[in-house]
């Protein structure tokens, strides 16, 4: 309530569908094919103010969380510049659009399932989770999807689809010349390029052993 003209926020997501925190990651995790950025009036209710402008764009297969966030900035900064010009000319003439609250969904900070990775999903779903956590070279607010190799916990940082059908048990590891290491998902092999071990990002082939099985990370809340 302090600013004389008003207070506005550039939200890196389309509103009202993606209110809340870490929405870039949530969109990728959900497999979104369209995303966007919204400039809106700030109110006591988070991300619920009237909309100044909104722009949508395509989510491409190679987009990770950092790339999608960058798209929000590229689309959003000109929106902020125009808002400043419009307010300088005629503050009372700014046109604002109410949000459709029936379409509102608010996201928590995350990550889903304590960032534990399940290999018994489709390769598309597994990769979406990995992309949703990938802000490399910057730290991820979610960390990276975690799995277990024998008694060692590792996290998957970079991966890609191979399109190769798979009949092996989910989590099975094999060597492949194209991507160095491939891991079995429910429907196809996923190429795994880099992993996080002991706070260091290293090549997957230096850690994952062909012939081994990657297992789910145990939920500490279920121990005992």
């Amino acid at each position: 309530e302090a600013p004389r003209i008003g207070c506005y926020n550039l939200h890196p997501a389309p509103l009202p569908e993606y209110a809340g925190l870490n929405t870039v990651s949530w969109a990728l995790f959900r497999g979104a094919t369209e995303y966007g950025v919204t400039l809106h009036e700030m109110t006591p209710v988070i991300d619920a103010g009237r909309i100044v402008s909104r722009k949508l764009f395509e989510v491409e297969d190679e987009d990770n969380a950092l790339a999608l966030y960058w798209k929000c900035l590229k689309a959003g900064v000109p929106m902020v510049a125009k808002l400043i010009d419009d307010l300088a000319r005629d503050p009372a003439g700014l046109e604002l659009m109410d949000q459709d609250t029936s379409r509102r969904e608010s996201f928590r900070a995350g990550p889903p399932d304590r960032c534990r990775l399940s290999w018994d999903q489709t390769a598309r779903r597994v990769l979406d989770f990995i992309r949703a956590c990938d802000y490399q070279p910057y730290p991820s607010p979610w960390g990276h999807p975690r799995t277990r190799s024998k008694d060692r916990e590792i996290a998957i940082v970079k991966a890609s689809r191979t399109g190769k059908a798979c009949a092996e048990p989910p989590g099975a590891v094999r060597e492949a010349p194209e991507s160095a290491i491939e891991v079995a998902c429910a429907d196809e092999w996923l190429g795994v390029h880099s992993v996080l071990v002991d706070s260091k990002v290293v090549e997957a082939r230096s850690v994952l052993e062909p012939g081994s099985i990657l297992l789910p990370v145990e939920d500490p809340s279920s121990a005992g």
Side-chain angles (χ1 to χ4, degrees):
E1 296 176 358
R4 179 174 56 85
I5 295 177
C7 196
Y8 300 88
N9 176 54
L10 183 66
H11 182 63
L15 290 174
E17 297 86 352
Y18 279 93
L21 301 172
N22 293 331
T23 50
V24 166
S25 292
W26 280 111
L28 289 172
F29 176 76
R30 287 184 158 198
T33 57
E34 185 179 63
Y35 197 63
V37 60
T38 308
L39 182 60
H40 68 95
E41 180 183 44
M42 294 179 71
T43 66
V45 179
I46 299 296
D47 299 332
R50 293 176 296 172
I51 293 174
V52 178
S53 55
R54 184 176 106 141
K55 184 173 183 179
L56 300 177
F57 43 79
E58 182 181 357
V59 178
E60 299 172 279
D61 289 342
E62 62 272 19
D63 284 342
N64 61 10
L66 180 63
L68 195 55
Y69 191 80
W70 175 242
K71 284 184 176 182
C72 292
L73 294 180
K74 288 181 68 176
V77 168
M79 292 160 57
V80 174
K82 183 178 184 304
L83 171 66
I84 293 173
D85 288 343
D86 291 344
L87 291 176
R89 267 196 317 272
D90 181 14
L94 186 66
E95 295 184 2
L96 300 169
M97 180 179 64
D98 290 334
Q99 293 193 39
D100 181 355
T101 56
S102 68
R103 291 162 43 207
R104 176 180 170 87
E105 187 169 3
S106 186
F107 292 84
R108 58 185 174 85
D113 197 23
R114 301 185 183 180
C115 220
R116 296 180 300 164
L117 187 58
S118 298
W119 296 101
D120 58 355
Q121 303 179 87
T122 65
R124 173 80 270 173
R125 289 290 298 126
V126 173
L127 182 59
D128 285 344
F129 195 2
I130 296 168
R131 291 194 305 151
C133 296
D134 184 8
Y135 288 82
Q136 287 287 305
Y138 303 105
S140 169
W142 279 5
H144 297 278
R146 300 178 295 132
T147 187
R148 183 163 54 91
S149 178
K150 298 180 181 178
D151 294 329
R152 190 181 199 185
E153 183 177 303
I154 64 174
I156 309 300
V157 177
K158 296 281 186 181
S160 62
R161 295 277 297 276
T162 68
K164 302 174 185 176
C166 176
E168 295 295 318
V173 178
R174 74 175 186 180
E175 192 168 6
E178 298 91 344
S179 59
I181 287 293
E182 293 177 351
V183 179
C185 298
D187 58 345
E188 67 180 59
W189 292 95
L190 188 74
V192 178
H193 307 289
S194 59
V195 299
L196 182 68
V197 181
D198 299 329
S199 301
K200 294 181 179 179
V201 177
V202 298
E203 291 187 357
R205 62 184 175 186
S206 68
V207 176
L208 302 183
E209 299 179 11
S212 64
I213 299 285
L214 298 181
L215 302 171
V217 173
E218 295 180 359
D219 184 353
S221 65
S222 64

